[in-house]
């Protein structure tokens, strides 16, 4: 099996994706496993798509406990899962697998991560009165769009490929209000948006540089949530800070989605503060500071 070294007798958890070099999931989960003295260890499986089947087969032989799935396999992994959660079905995206005696359960804990990050940022999303503008129409965008739409928030989607924004808005139409937005309509939304969410790789290490979000839209009445977590501060969050917007950082979602996965695998409460400190320490090691 491809991956990092697996010498001990501990039960395996890990992450499948490609590339994985910047993933902080192993550091975060291994810190939490050791803190609670759990008999688990977390590995990286940086593989190509044609290796997924063999990797899952090998991991099942080793009675693995859980997996995270990341870019670009959150959709394709669904065919290896026996039971999908509601949230995985509606977002067409699985980022967490739980192995119960050989039966694989697929979840989308990114949605929980989005909701938790917004709640912790004191956003009153449950009231359902917010105008939310989401940049992107991939798995991460879907993970935000479905729960927010179900809570009654007005969800607008803007995406490079407009057809995908239309498709996402269409699939949200059963749960609530949603509209696809063209790039040239963005200036007209100034002053009408409560929450902006970036669900594209803009600003991510190794991703496209800069920001997809027009600076003019940012101001003190807006909350900006950038899902990109590495680096901690992105061109978008820096611009938002400069223009007095409230900022929710991607690491907040990263920790919450990881904590939800941890709880599925272990049936223990995730040591959130330890996970947060571990992630922040490692982001800061890379030269990024929030100044708090
Ligand atoms: P995805 O399914 O591949 O979707 C990527 C989206 O970004 C698509 O809408 C795509 O538009 C758009 N995009 C990509 N490159 C672009 C470019 N050069 N110009 C304009 N638009 C571009 O990826 P995903 O899984 O949704 O993840 C998106 C980002 O969310 C990731 O980069 C990651 O940083 C972040 N994320 C964070 C967390 C967290 O825990 N904090 C969790 C999940 C994801 P098209 O439809 O036109 O291709």
């Amino acid at each position: 099996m491809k991956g990092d070294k697996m010498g001990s007798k501990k039960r395996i958890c890990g992450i499948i994706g490609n590339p994985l070099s910047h993933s902080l999931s192993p550091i975060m989960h291994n810190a939490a496993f050791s803190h609670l003295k759990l008999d688990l260890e977390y590995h990286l499986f940086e593989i190509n798509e044609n290796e997924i089947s063999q990797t899952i087969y090998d991991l099942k032989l080793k009675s693995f406990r859980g997996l995270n799935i990341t870019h670009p396999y959150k959709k394709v992994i669904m065919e290896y899962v026996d039971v999908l959660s509601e949230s995985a079905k509606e977002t067409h995206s699985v980022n967490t697998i739980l192995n119960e005696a050989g039966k694989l359960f697929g979840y989308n804990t990114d949605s929980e991560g989005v909701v938790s990050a917004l709640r912790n940022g004191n956003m009153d999303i449950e009231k359902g009165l917010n105008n939310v503008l989401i940049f992107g129409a991939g798995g991460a965008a879907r993970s935000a769009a479905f729960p927010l739409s179900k809570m009654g928030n007005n969800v607008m989607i803007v995406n490079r490929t407009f057809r995908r924004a239309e498709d996402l808005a269409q699939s949200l139409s059963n749960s609530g209000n949603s509209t696809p937005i063209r790039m040239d309509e963005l200036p007209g939304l100034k002053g009408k948006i409560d929450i902006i969410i970036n669900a594209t790789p803009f600003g991510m290490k190794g991703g496209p540089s800069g920001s997809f979000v027009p600076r003019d839209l940012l101001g003190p009445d807006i909350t900006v949530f950038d899902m990109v977590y590495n680096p901690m501060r992105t061109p978008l969050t820096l611009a938002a800070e400069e223009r007095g917007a409230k900022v929710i950082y991607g690491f907040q979602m990263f920790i919450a989605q990881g904590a939800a996965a941890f709880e599925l695998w272990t049936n223990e409460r995730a040591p959130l503060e330890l996970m947060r400190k571990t992630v922040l320490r490692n982001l800061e090691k890379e030269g990024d500071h929030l100044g708090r």
Side-chain angles (χ1 to χ4, degrees):
M1 186 191 318
K2 282 220 172 166
D4 52 8
K5 288 194 182 107
M6 286 178 294
S8 81
K9 297 246 162 26
K10 289 183 176 174
R11 238 180 132 182
I12 297 167
C13 288
I15 182 164
I16 290 183
N18 200 343
L20 285 180
S21 51
H22 294 305
S23 176
L24 293 182
S25 293
I27 289 168
M28 175 173 78
H29 283 293
N30 280 326
F33 293 158
S34 336
H35 181 72
L36 293 180
K37 301 188 172 43
L38 299 172
D39 211 16
L40 292 168
E41 64 186 11
Y42 194 101
H43 297 268
L44 285 176
F45 303 102
E46 186 170 21
I47 55 172
N48 295 321
E49 187 167 342
N50 61 7
E51 297 171 300
I52 295 178
S53 173
Q54 187 66 43
T55 304
I56 296 284
Y57 179 82
D58 291 344
L59 282 168
K60 272 179 137 179
L61 283 183
K62 289 177 186 281
S63 302
F64 80 99
R65 178 57 175 162
L67 286 173
N68 285 132
I69 314 298
T70 190
H71 190 76
Y73 304 137
K74 287 183 185 178
K75 195 166 181 179
V76 70
I77 203 72
M78 291 171 79
E79 61 191 83
Y80 299 93
V81 167
D82 301 302
V83 184
L84 289 170
S85 71
E86 275 313 302
S87 149
K89 276 188 214 160
E90 63 190 12
T91 56
H92 302 162
S93 170
V94 165
N95 80 324
T96 299
I97 290 178
L98 171 70
N99 179 12
E100 286 285 15
K103 194 167 182 179
L104 303 192
F105 292 79
Y107 299 87
N108 179 342
T109 70
D110 283 337
S111 283
E112 287 168 73
V114 168
V115 169
S116 165
L118 287 166
R119 272 195 197 130
N120 291 340
N122 292 323
M123 295 310 299
D124 204 352
I125 44 176
E126 272 85 2
K127 262 196 194 151
L129 299 173
N130 299 289
N131 289 315
V132 185
L133 179 62
I134 300 179
F135 286 79
R142 296 179 78 90
S143 304
F146 275 92
L148 290 173
S149 166
K150 275 189 185 165
M151 289 170 187
N153 298 286
N154 178 29
V155 175
M156 290 164 268
I157 322 274
V158 55
N159 192 46
R160 173 177 63 179
T161 311
F162 184 65
R163 186 189 44 75
R164 293 188 76 201
E166 287 181 305
D167 289 349
L168 176 49
Q170 177 62 36
S171 42
L172 292 170
S173 59
N174 287 338
S175 52
N177 242 348
S178 58
T179 326
I181 301 286
R182 292 185 188 276
M183 295 297 279
D184 60 9
E185 294 177 273
L186 288 175
L189 294 178
K190 195 172 173 188
K192 297 180 186 154
I193 306 294
D194 303 301
I195 304 174
I196 286 179
I197 300 179
N198 175 42
T200 74
F202 270 92
M204 190 178 92
K205 253 183 201 160
S209 56
S211 164
F212 199 26
V213 181
R215 212 180 148 82
D216 275 358
L217 283 184
L218 309 174
D221 297 333
I222 284 195
T223 294
V224 172
F225 168 27
D226 194 342
M227 289 195 189
V228 169
Y229 75 88
N230 194 357
M232 183 153 48
R233 273 204 169 102
T234 59
L236 172 60
T237 57
L238 286 168
E241 283 169 8
E242 266 170 43
R243 294 184 71 96
K246 184 169 171 182
V247 176
I248 297 174
Y249 299 90
F251 76 84
Q252 291 164 286
M253 171 181 173
F254 176 71
I255 292 163
Q257 63 75 34
F262 179 97
E263 292 183 358
L264 285 166
W265 301 329
T266 65
N267 296 316
E268 300 268 359
R269 283 285 282 275
L272 272 175
E273 197 41 41
L274 172 103
M275 291 165 90
R276 180 185 152 84
K277 277 190 182 145
T278 306
V279 168
L280 286 181
R281 197 170 47 241
N282 278 277
L283 287 172
E284 285 169 0
K285 250 192 220 162
E286 301 188 23
D288 213 347
H289 294 265
L290 277 184
R292 61 181 139 110

